[in-house]
Amino acid sequence: MNSELAVIRIKNLRLRTYIGINDDEIANRQDVIINVKIQYPAEKATVSDNMDDALNYRTITKKIIALVENNQFGLLEKMTSDVLAIASEHPWVCTASVEIDKPHALRFADSVSLELTYQEN
């Protein structure tokens, strides 16, 4: 039997959170844009058509929203790492990557982003 890898993409999840180390960043919420990519073996779900055999992207997204909106982060690295931990926590996940954009963080740039990747050993 061939192994089919599913790819879940959560695209452009727009949230507001406290991110940064400057006084105005600590005092005011800022926009962030989150992109998540998760790969897992999907052959069981493709045959059964049963939600219990698939990763639930709604559950994953709700956890990410709660994390980001209810916390304060000094560094983009920390927030990205914490979101990646949620994206990769299910034992079926083979690889996951998270990219978080912080729009208008630099003058003359649309955004600054950071990407981290998890790969099972």
Side-chain angles (χ1 to χ4, degrees):
M1 177 156 124
N2 290 337
S3 178
E4 296 174 311
L5 281 181
V7 178
I8 296 172
R9 294 181 202 277
I10 301 168
K11 296 182 179 183
N12 298 326
L13 179 61
R14 298 174 195 285
L15 302 174
R16 294 187 56 78
T17 191
Y18 297 100
I19 175 73
I21 57 171
N22 297 325
D23 290 341
D24 61 319
E25 294 174 318
I26 293 169
N28 300 299
R29 288 184 184 267
Q30 296 178 68
D31 295 329
V32 292
I33 302 169
I34 300 172
N35 285 282
V36 179
K37 179 179 173 184
I38 301 168
Q39 292 183 307
Y40 76 98
E43 60 270 353
K44 195 170 179 183
T46 61
V47 172
S48 73
D49 198 24
N50 183 331
M51 185 58 228
D52 292 336
D53 296 328
L55 289 184
N56 189 327
Y57 54 81
R58 176 173 273 173
T59 301
I60 295 166
T61 302
K62 285 182 177 183
K63 287 181 181 181
I64 292 169
I65 292 169
L67 169 79
V68 172
E69 290 187 340
N70 297 321
N71 287 286
Q72 187 164 353
F73 304 92
L75 298 175
L76 203 49
E77 287 84 349
K78 174 63 172 155
M79 182 170 43
T80 306
S81 177
D82 289 355
V83 172
L84 182 61
I86 292 171
S88 61
E89 72 185 357
H90 196 284
W92 296 347
V93 173
C94 302
T95 63
S97 62
V98 172
E99 181 180 19
I100 300 182
D101 282 81
K102 186 176 169 184
H104 313 295
L106 291 175
R107 189 173 174 201
F108 305 122
D110 291 338
S111 71
V112 170
S113 72
L114 181 85
E115 182 174 0
L116 294 174
T117 302
Y118 160 85
Q119 187 166 342
E120 76 175 336
N121 295 328

